[in-house]
Amino acid sequence: MREIFDAIQKSAKRIKKAIDVKDFGYSESENSSGETQLQLDIKCDMIIEEEFSRIASINTIASEEKEEAMHFHADAPYFIAYDPLDGSSLIDVNLSVGTIFGIYKGGFGAENMVASCYIVYGPRVEIVFAENKVKLYLLQGDEFEYVKEIKLGEKGKLNAPGGTQQNWLPYHKELVDSFFKEGYRLRYSGGMVPDLHQILLKGGGLFSYPATSDKPEGKLRKLFEVFPFAYIYKKAGGEAIDGQNDLLELTCKHVHDTSPCFFGSKYEINRVKDVYANN
Ligand code: AHG
């Protein structure tokens, strides 16, 4: 695991430089979700692939930017799914973006998750790595330094509701509104990494990306986005559900499967469960 964390740190520094240096524009290709790929998405994917290809303990990698998984060492234990540059459409407007990693042992699937991690590229570059504990690291000069352990409170103050409101189901809209009526404040940038990072570091709240009338299975991808953050939130003392079920109990048939998802502290997630159980 140490060498995987080292490769993630090296990738973070190289991706930060790629983001800073140049706007690469769009490529001619589409990714597996049918989105036009930014040259920068492809560059970040290549950086991570290159760093992971040097590690003997990695069996297979799957990237949000690649249709198929890529096999390295047949007898090695670790399978890593990653989103090289989540929220890359926010680069144009200079908002924070991130990289997400789900680290699985013996094969892809929530039941095999043994660690997860994300990098935030904002005014500062930070890494959050979760194994047994959730730890925050900050890039200082050329090295990442440990800052602190992250723990969620029982209840927070922030509400980050994702998806197109026009397509929300009526009871979901009522749920979101009820948090605002209770005094919660809106925090939503459109990048799940900075949005979930903010809730984690401010002690709690709710991030939701629900089933909508146009996307009944949600938008966010299980292996690259949903499971890694579910692991982090649960290890930090919070919860992560699809409305009713623990996200880490869901199965995954295809590497690009999606799921509705709710991440938060216990109070908010219990409210979601109550509403979704009755609808
Ligand atoms: P993309 O990588 O295509 O920019 O998508 C970003 C993801 C995720 O980071 C974010 O939470 C979500 O899409 C936002 O989607 P909506 O704009 O539909 O709320």
Side-chain angles (χ1 to χ4, degrees), residues 21 48 52 95 98 107 123 143 177 186 198 200 220 228 235 237-238:
V21 168
I48 295 168
F52 282 162
L95 285 174
E143 294 301 324
D177 288 346
L186 174 66
Q198 182 168 199
L200 270 177
L220 301 176
K235 289 288 179 190

Side-chain angles (χ1 to χ4, degrees), residues 31 35 41 64 83 85-90 100 161-164 188 190-195 207 209 215 219-221 225:
N31 67 11
E35 298 154 341
D41 285 316
E64 198 246 323
D83 185 349
L85 200 59
D86 186 77
S88 54
S89 58
L90 299 174
I100 310 167
T164 308
Y188 194 77
M192 83 179 294
V193 173
D195 288 337
F207 174 98
Y209 205 105
K215 289 181 183 157
K219 172 183 181 186
L220 301 176
R221 287 148 286 225
E225 296 167 319

Side-chain angles (χ1 to χ4, degrees), residues 116-130:
S116 76
C117 176
Y118 66 85
I119 307 162
V120 197
Y121 312 95
R124 294 170 174 162
V125 179
E126 292 179 320
I127 295 180
V128 171
F129 192 91

Side-chain angles (χ1 to χ4, degrees), residues 209-211 226 240-247 250 259-262 272 276:
Y209 205 105
V226 173
I241 60 169
D242 67 354
Q244 307 252 15
N245 309 300
D246 187 325
L247 287 169
L250 300 184
S259 172
C261 51
F262 299 80
V272 176
Y276 272 69

Side-chain angles (χ1 to χ4, degrees), residues 162-209:
T164 308
Q165 296 193 21
Q166 191 184 30
N167 301 325
W168 284 352
L169 301 172
Y171 58 86
H172 180 76
K173 180 165 171 41
E174 276 171 33
L175 172 68
V176 171
D177 288 346
S178 72
F179 282 112
F180 288 130
K181 282 182 192 139
E182 208 182 312
Y184 280 70
R185 283 170 289 149
L186 174 66
R187 291 291 182 271
Y188 194 77
S189 72
M192 83 179 294
V193 173
D195 288 337
L196 281 161
H197 188 58
Q198 182 168 199
I199 291 170
L200 270 177
L201 288 178
K202 299 283 187 191
L206 179 69
F207 174 98
S208 48
Y209 205 105

